[in-house]
Amino acid sequence: MTATPVLVVGAGPTGLTAACVLWDLGVPCRVIDRRSGPGIAPKGLVLWSGALECLDRVGVAAQLAGTALPLAGASYWSKGRRIAGVRFGGLTGTAFPGPLCVPQPVTERALHARLTELGGTVEWETEVTAVTVNRGGPEESATVTLSAAGGAETVTVPWLVAADGARSLVRDSVGIPFEGHTFDRTFLIGDGRLEGAGAEAEVQHHITPDGVLVIVPQPDGHRVFFDTEPDEWSEPPSEQQLQRLLDERGPGGLRLHGTWWTSRFRVHAKVAPRFREGPVLLAGDAVHAHTTAGGQGLNTGVQDGYDVGWKLATVVRGGDPALLDSYEAERRPASVRAVANGDQQTRMWLLRNPAARLLRNTAMRVLSATGLLEKKALPLLAQLDLDYSGSPAVAATDAAAGVPRVLRPGRRAPDAALTPVHGTTAASLHAQLAAGRHTLLVYGAEAAGESAARAAETVRDRGTADMAQVLWIRPADLTNGHLPQDGAELAVVRAQDDTLGGADARWCAYVRPDGVVAACSGPAGLDALLTRLPSRPARTAPVPAVRP
């Protein structure tokens, strides 16, 4: 049995996110990839708010934002006329109010550098050739055969994270099907310089009877995207072919040149019926395949990687193994929704019937004019509004506990302005939660502070202070409160208003590393909330993220 508790197969954005989270939360993992190094193909371009919040907790979002191109909005055109538009950047309650254009290799390099900083490595040119799930003993495990330049190797690991792409050998080996459909169209992409494009960073959708043209601004150029009739060609399209389609479908006056990447491919809308087989957990493209509409594949994969990473780290460090039952229960519905959203958008692009096209254009005009298009579409794309309230890892709130309504189990914790008092510099609740730790919130006056101090001492004694934190939130009008005598390990803030409760309120809440409220209670329930936290010391030395 290998000493490494987790093997991650695949070092794309999904696998690297999972690996970074594991190392960051004190659990070493082994990462392998059959490629010779980080990817160079800029497949995914857009990072939305939900994925950016995950990458922020990992410690790379600020770096990515520094080189990214913020996208200003999207427009939809038919017969040379603008029929609809949405503006980006207006999402509230997040540090990332709009999407950023970041070519996938940039994201991969940032995650790879962070993994190295945390102490991990990637074993390149190492491929899985067989996987067997071992059952029947006291603990399940996976036996994996690896092939590398140095020869074959067989390892047995307690946990396996499969992030090995749409053609996942791990998925096939454990007998999980991949269900859905493939569009009967060929799609062509070209990245290069586009003369004549507007200065604003707006994604344009030109929908014509012959097919769609999508133009996506990039930090150093543009991407053009087309659908065509299927043909026998397999090589990437030429610049001349892309220019011809650009002339046929575009607004005119556009010239593509200096292309650095072109591709020809088919698109799928598929989701696996299961995301787990015993000790094998699958994530990213291995369990969901998206159309290119909205750039959802990369974003959903990053959130998968974050989710499986913190849950595995918690279980390895003494948390309840039943926590992993929530992985599929939470991430599969989110994936189904993202795939269905992209599938619907693509079908709308590909409408050929004149009456259906007229109906679509009319509906988009109305939705755009009323603001409903922006109101409905952006939360779907950003993936900030996920509802995990039915998850086995989320407990319903006792209505008598006095917990404020803004704390909704199964939903992201709301933001709230805070004044730092002791042990933290966070000026908002989201800033405190951005560290990606298990967090106990204890609200109330001095008696609440004493309870919070005892909880913080328990966390310290367990050796889990690197993975869990306790935050005492004083009411806004408690300006002269004293620190508990044993409050050295405690982070203390003061609420700036009564959003979280008044002077007489007392409540407790457990917020997961992903920022989701998982349980709330009155003061008497604090000990029960403590049982949700990990109980074993780290296996790796913590390496903090550098934050601005």
Side-chain angles (χ1 to χ4, degrees):
M1 176 78 71
T2 178
T4 303
V6 184
L7 172 65
V8 177
V9 180
T14 300
L16 287 173
T17 299
C20 285
V21 175
L22 284 160
W23 278 91
D24 186 39
L25 296 181
V27 175
C29 65
R30 183 178 179 184
V31 186
I32 65 167
D33 195 293
R34 62 189 176 190
R35 300 174 300 173
S36 59
I40 59 174
K43 299 175 183 178
L45 279 185
V46 180
L47 288 172
W48 287 90
S49 309
L52 284 165
E53 287 192 354
C54 293
L55 295 171
D56 189 35
R57 297 181 197 109
V58 169
V60 300
Q63 175 187 346
L64 293 174
T67 61
L69 174 68
L71 295 175
S75 59
Y76 301 84
W77 303 72
S78 181
K79 296 182 179 180
R81 296 181 178 180
R82 182 185 175 108
I83 60 172
V86 296
R87 304 302 297 172
F88 298 155
L91 292 170
T92 59
T94 176
F96 306 97
L100 302 178
C101 184
V102 186
Q104 185 169 322
V106 178
T107 301
E108 288 194 27
R109 288 196 297 270
L111 284 167
H112 183 249
R114 178 60 176 156
L115 177 64
T116 302
E117 182 182 37
L118 290 164
T121 60
V122 177
E123 299 173 44
W124 302 108
E125 297 182 319
T126 303
E127 186 173 4
V128 173
T129 59
V131 178
T132 302
V133 174
N134 306 312
R135 303 183 185 276
E139 295 183 354
E140 295 181 340
S141 61
T143 298
V144 187
T145 302
L146 306 175
S147 176
E153 176 188 7
T154 299
V155 296
T156 299
V157 290
W159 301 103
L160 169 64
V161 175
D164 53 340
R167 298 178 181 177
S168 171
L169 184 141
V170 176
R171 184 192 64 229
D172 293 343
S173 296
V174 298
I176 297 179
F178 210 15
E179 299 173 346
H181 68 91
T182 300
F183 280 90
D184 189 26
R185 300 288 286 177
T186 296
F187 292 81
L188 309 179
I189 275 182
D191 287 355
R193 310 289 181 187
L194 189 63
E195 292 184 8
E200 186 176 38
E202 180 183 81
V203 180
Q204 297 183 21
H205 303 77
H206 296 270
I207 311 168
T208 77
D210 296 323
V212 69
L213 156 65
V214 181
I215 301 173
V216 184
Q218 298 191 54
D220 54 359
H222 284 79
R223 168 168 294 180
V224 292
F225 168 93
F226 310 90
D227 69 291
T228 65
E229 292 288 343
D231 54 39
E232 72 280 4
W233 300 99
S234 59
E235 68 274 9
S238 66
E239 196 172 277
Q240 293 73 24
Q241 182 181 10
L242 296 173
Q243 181 65 52
R244 176 176 57 79
L245 290 169
L246 189 61
D247 293 338
E248 292 173 356
R249 302 181 189 180
L254 301 178
R255 187 175 79 85
L256 179 69
H257 65 94
T259 52
W260 56 80
W261 183 67
T262 66
S263 181
R264 180 190 305 266
F265 57 95
R266 304 288 291 275
V267 299
H268 316 275
K270 297 182 177 181
V271 183
R274 305 193 312 279
F275 281 24
R276 179 183 179 187
E277 184 64 32
V280 178
L281 300 107
L282 296 100
D285 290 350
V287 278
H288 44 79
H290 306 245
T291 74
T292 56
Q296 295 294 280
L298 172 61
N299 288 268
T300 310
V302 165
Q303 292 182 83
D304 286 351
Y306 191 88
D307 195 78
V308 75
W310 79 259
K311 288 175 179 173
L312 263 180
T314 302
V315 170
V316 171
R317 292 188 57 181
D320 186 351
L323 175 64
L324 290 174
D325 295 337
S326 70
Y327 172 63
E328 179 182 309
E330 294 179 0
R331 293 308 304 159
R332 189 175 186 279
S335 301
V336 168
R337 188 178 81 153
V339 169
N341 179 38
D343 185 45
Q344 182 183 41
Q345 287 189 65
T346 304
R347 290 179 185 276
M348 290 179 63
W349 289 352
L350 302 181
L351 288 175
R352 296 292 180 263
N353 181 279
R357 290 171 57 82
L358 177 61
L359 179 63
R360 175 202 62 202
N361 292 355
T362 301
M364 292 192 71
R365 284 191 181 96
V366 171
L367 291 171
S368 178
T370 59
L372 287 174
L373 184 61
E374 190 169 309
K375 182 179 180 181
K376 297 294 184 181
L378 295 191
L380 274 173
L381 295 169
Q383 296 192 42
L384 285 175
D385 63 341
L386 300 177
D387 184 354
Y388 293 155
S389 58
S391 167
V394 172
T397 298
D398 180 356
V403 179
R405 292 183 179 181
V406 294
L407 289 175
R408 301 166 60 192
R411 308 301 290 262
R412 289 170 65 246
D415 204 4
L418 305 172
T419 299
V421 174
H422 171 78
T424 180
T425 60
S428 71
L429 183 55
H430 277 189
Q432 184 74 25
L433 299 176
R437 270 36 185 178
H438 294 271
T439 303
L440 290 182
L441 305 179
V442 182
Y443 184 94
E446 273 81 355
E450 296 292 342
S451 297
R454 288 192 294 272
E457 186 177 0
T458 298
V459 169
R460 182 199 63 195
D461 292 345
R462 289 175 176 176
T464 58
D466 66 303
M467 193 181 186
Q469 59 184 354
V470 180
L471 182 69
W472 174 26
I473 306 176
R474 293 175 173 174
D477 55 359
L478 184 66
T479 57
N480 298 316
H482 299 287
L483 284 176
Q485 185 174 0
D486 297 323
E489 306 294 330
L490 184 62
V492 185
V493 296
R494 180 170 59 85
Q496 292 188 12
D497 55 41
D498 60 358
T499 301
L500 300 176
D504 296 329
R506 278 197 65 188
W507 54 263
C508 307
Y510 161 57
V511 182
R512 311 182 326 181
D514 60 354
V516 171
V517 179
C520 303
S521 76
L526 183 57
D527 287 344
L529 297 184
L530 271 168
T531 64
R532 291 175 169 267
L533 272 56
S535 60
R536 296 174 186 163
R539 298 193 182 192
T540 64
V543 178
V546 177
R547 299 185 182 278

